[in-house]
Amino acid sequence: MGDLPWPTDIDPRVEELVTEVIGRVADKWTMVVLDVLAEHGELRFSRLAALSDGISQKMLTQTVRAMERDGLVVRTVHPVVPPRVEYRLTDLGISLAQAFCGVWLWAAANLERIHASRDAFDSRILP
Amino acid sequence: MGDLPWPTDIDPRVEELVTEVIGRVADKWTMVVLDVLAEHGELRFSRLAALSDGISQKMLTQTVRAMERDGLVVRTVHPVVPPRVEYRLTDLGISLAQAFCGVWLWAAANLERIHASRDAFDSRILP
DNA sequence: ACCCATAGTATCCTTTCGGTAAGTACCGAA
DNA sequence: TTCGGTACTTACCGAAAGGATACTATGGGT
């Protein structure tokens, strides 16, 4: 085994950093926001909230700030009243969205297998 | 905008299910275990624990059980004493590992950009 | 003088996460 | 008879995530 199509001989120090970055970035809301911004381009806060189904204002602010810090989105504040703030992906954010595309497609393609497996597992252990 | 290289016209009901699956699967420990099993093939519980750096016994049991339920790993119990339990990825698990490969490579390739962005962000808002 | 809209903060509170530590079952070896 | 080795399970507890709600700042319109 170990013959998967990617390098396995990575510096463990780098591996640790990568794990940390993935843990940060592979969060539910980050992926949703990433997806929404990838599909719709630049969006204002309230529109982004409406499109990110189920997110709370607090979580959206938090998510989008962390993404800005990581260089995934740019946040443009227009000094007007009422406030107008626009969010869009950076090149880095777009490249991450493309990387996640594989996971997204995998999930879509295997939805039924996963649910079938869950049902089988549950009826195996519960009466 | 919206000209990203994947379909955007998905049934919202499916989209919701996909989000749920991704949320389930894109968990820190699941990704670590997935990676370890992809690299090492079949492993016993204690070896898997040792290779999944930083995980507790409880979390490993929990993670691996959820993965079994979702059909990502098979758990083989050998009825011997002391107990011997082996874990390996299913085809579904392997395909997920491959899908995440893109994210992994992205993280490895952009580590420095991310940390640079964080440093810049932090020195911009903190004194 | 008052109201509105937007993009937040701040606060409270509940749920979940996750670590430690202890207990369990089993049988063969000493 | 007691010990050891493996793979758990259970109980407990503090930390952190995350939802709901209320509050803030601002200036233009009426």
Side-chain angles (χ1 to χ4, degrees), chain B residues 14-75:
Chain B
V14 171
E15 193 153 334
E16 184 181 347
L17 291 173
V18 170
T19 301
E20 180 258 330
V21 166
I22 290 187
R24 169 63 268 297
V25 126
D27 146 75
K28 181 190 173 186
W29 291 128
T30 298
M31 288 195 301
V32 169
V33 168
L34 198 68
D35 185 54
V36 168
L37 284 177
E39 282 186 20
H40 294 86
E42 197 165 39
L43 290 174
R44 298 183 58 179
F45 183 85
S46 49
R47 180 110 179 85
L48 184 52
L51 291 170
S52 304
D53 205 43
I55 200 171
S56 69
Q57 196 182 38
K58 176 184 164 184
M59 276 297 101
L60 180 54
T61 301
Q62 210 170 97
T63 301
V64 104
R65 275 299 203 294
M67 291 175 76
E68 186 193 5
R69 187 170 108 97
D70 286 348
L72 302 175
V73 302
V74 279
R75 180 166 164 273

Side-chain angles (χ1 to χ4, degrees), chain A residues 27 29 56-59 81-82:
Chain A
D27 145 78
W29 291 127
S56 67
Q57 198 181 38
K58 176 183 165 185
M59 275 297 99
V81 162

